[in-house]
Amino acid sequence: LVEATLSDKRNSVVISSTPEAGFTYEPTPVCAGETLVQFTNTTVGSPTLTYLWDFDDGWSSALENPTHTFAQAGSYEVALIAFNGCGLDPATQVVPVHGAPQQITPSWVPTPPEVGNVVTFTAQASSTLPVVDWAWDFGDGQSGSGPVAQHIYAATGTYTVLLTATNECAS
């Protein structure tokens, strides 16, 4: 007589799937040359995932959650590729990177200004973010603020007017 015993044998089965890439970033706004941007990987998938980031400015990373500083203002199409043994999935987002206001130009009326009369100065600047502060130096020791400022010159002469525009990123 022969007896046989069956043993209970269990095996693990790993079910994998193609990753679904995704990411977020902060803070906003992103300021050129100043802001250290934290990218947070929100990719879903298993098992072991590998990542490749392209920041669209010549820099890349293989970290799961990298940080990056953009040197120049512009729009950057940041790409994340997540992959595992089942495949890969890309995710992209356009990251707007802002700079200080550019092409800052004062204008004034009347032209020419006259001693003792009100001169109205008007500010203009191109900026991807709203200008939050306008500072005027009228060149005679007096100053003003705002996109429109008025001033009266007490003496004849040549005055160098300086206008500074500031947004959330810089002046």
Side-chain angles (χ1 to χ4, degrees):
L1 177 74
V2 176
E3 282 188 76
T5 312
L6 294 174
S7 64
D8 187 14
K9 194 168 192 175
R10 296 176 188 213
N11 291 316
S12 296
V13 176
V14 176
I15 307 297
S16 298
S17 64
T18 302
E20 294 178 29
F23 66 93
T24 61
Y25 67 91
E26 63 180 359
T28 59
V30 176
C31 297
E34 296 178 13
T35 306
L36 182 62
V37 182
Q38 174 65 59
F39 289 91
T40 302
N41 192 328
T42 60
T43 299
V44 177
S46 63
T48 306
L49 294 170
T50 304
Y51 306 101
L52 179 60
W53 294 83
D54 180 349
F55 298 110
D56 194 26
D57 64 353
W59 291 92
S60 62
S61 175
L63 296 174
E64 183 175 355
N65 297 298
T67 58
H68 184 67
T69 299
F70 294 91
Q72 302 293 322
S75 291
Y76 296 90
E77 189 171 339
V78 175
L80 164 63
I81 299 173
F83 52 97
N84 63 12
C86 292
L88 62 87
D89 188 45
T92 61
Q93 287 188 50
V94 174
V95 177
V97 178
H98 304 279
Q102 301 294 311
Q103 301 171 353
I104 301 168
T105 308
S107 61
W108 57 90
V109 291
T111 303
E114 296 179 5
V115 172
N117 289 336
V118 173
V119 180
T120 301
F121 291 88
T122 304
Q124 294 179 340
S126 64
S127 179
T128 56
L129 292 173
V131 174
V132 295
D133 186 46
W134 301 93
W136 296 89
D137 178 340
F138 297 116
D140 63 352
Q142 301 297 311
S143 61
S145 63
V148 177
Q150 294 185 327
H151 183 64
I152 298 173
Y153 286 95
T156 60
T158 301
Y159 299 96
T160 301
V161 176
L162 176 64
L163 170 61
T164 303
T166 305
N167 64 17
E168 280 188 75
C169 286
S171 59

